[in-house]
Amino acid sequence: MSTSRTSPRRGEILAALRAADAPLGVTETAERVGVHPNTVRFHLDALVEEGAVERQTGQSSGRGRPPTVYAPRPGMDRGGTRGYQLLARMLLSRLAATGSEARSAVMETGRAWGRFLVGQPEPYRRPTPEDAADRLVRLLDELGFAPDAEDGTPPTRIRLRHCPFLELAEEHGQLVCPLHLALMQGALAELRAPLTATGLEPFAEPDACLAHLRPAPQQPAPLQTAERHP
């Protein structure tokens, strides 16, 4: 969150700079806002660090170093509120209206992102079921699902105790939950893991969803050929 949004004083200083016809120095800004210059200097430094304001070198009126002045950084205000959840709802509602095609589209998307997010494994290396399950759990943890793998070697179920898209899943579970399942499938496929995710039970327990794992068919690691040089 941008600090200028949580500091009314910082917002006043930024507004004063935007209302000015030219960049302002610390003293000029302090006069317009009505606070001590040291207070203004502190907030200006913070605004520069946030990227909302930029320092410039003013015109010198005589001997000595030219003054430092401040101006709002050109461009859209990045300190405003965001509506990503609303955007997601809008896109999901439109996708849901396409009918049966929607599920296959989100499954394809989930698998593609699962392959991307998990990262490529080492060449010629196929992880053990335990390694694959551990890698999947770590990915789910990074994404905010608070996973808890059941006892087992490897685990056959993973409890997801947190949903980072909870409100969207409650409204559009027929799309969001398959997306999560496909993401796990894509990650395991990218790892060439001897495991696959076969199902996801949304809200199977009062405080968790359940992802189910089972052994995958054995597949040979892809061969890599050396480049030929003339």
Side-chain angles (χ1 to χ4, degrees), residues 139-169:
L139 174 62
L140 292 171
D141 187 52
E142 292 170 1
L143 295 175
F145 286 95
D148 181 15
E150 283 195 346
D151 293 337
T153 309
T156 58
R157 298 198 305 181
I158 300 176
R159 282 184 172 82
L160 307 178
R161 299 192 177 280
H162 178 264
C163 180
F165 315 112
L166 180 59
E167 291 78 13
L168 297 174

Side-chain angles (χ1 to χ4, degrees), residues 2 17 109 114 127 130 143 160 162 182 204:
S2 175
L17 294 177
T109 301
E130 294 76 20
L143 295 175
L160 307 178
H162 178 264

Side-chain angles (χ1 to χ4, degrees), residues 41-136:
R41 184 176 289 106
F42 168 78
H43 288 300
L44 283 171
D45 289 342
L47 287 167
V48 169
E49 186 175 345
E50 292 176 18
V53 168
E54 57 186 12
R55 291 189 185 91
Q56 299 178 1
T57 300
Q59 294 183 348
S60 177
S61 58
R63 294 182 178 180
R65 298 172 57 184
T68 298
V69 294
Y70 298 84
R73 187 176 293 276
M76 185 73 71
D77 179 12
R78 295 186 176 274
T81 58
R82 299 290 188 265
Y84 295 125
Q85 184 172 324
L86 175 59
L87 173 63
R89 290 181 62 197
M90 294 165 64
L91 295 176
L92 282 170
S93 64
R94 177 64 184 90
L95 184 59
T98 63
S100 59
E101 298 178 1
R103 181 181 173 88
S104 60
V106 299
M107 294 290 285
E108 180 182 351
T109 301
R111 292 189 185 103
W113 275 93
R115 290 192 295 268
F116 169 74
L117 291 171
V118 79
Q120 291 187 347
E122 297 176 8
Y124 310 112
R125 181 179 182 274
R126 196 176 192 209
T128 65
E130 294 76 20
D131 289 342
D134 181 66
R135 185 82 173 271
L136 178 62

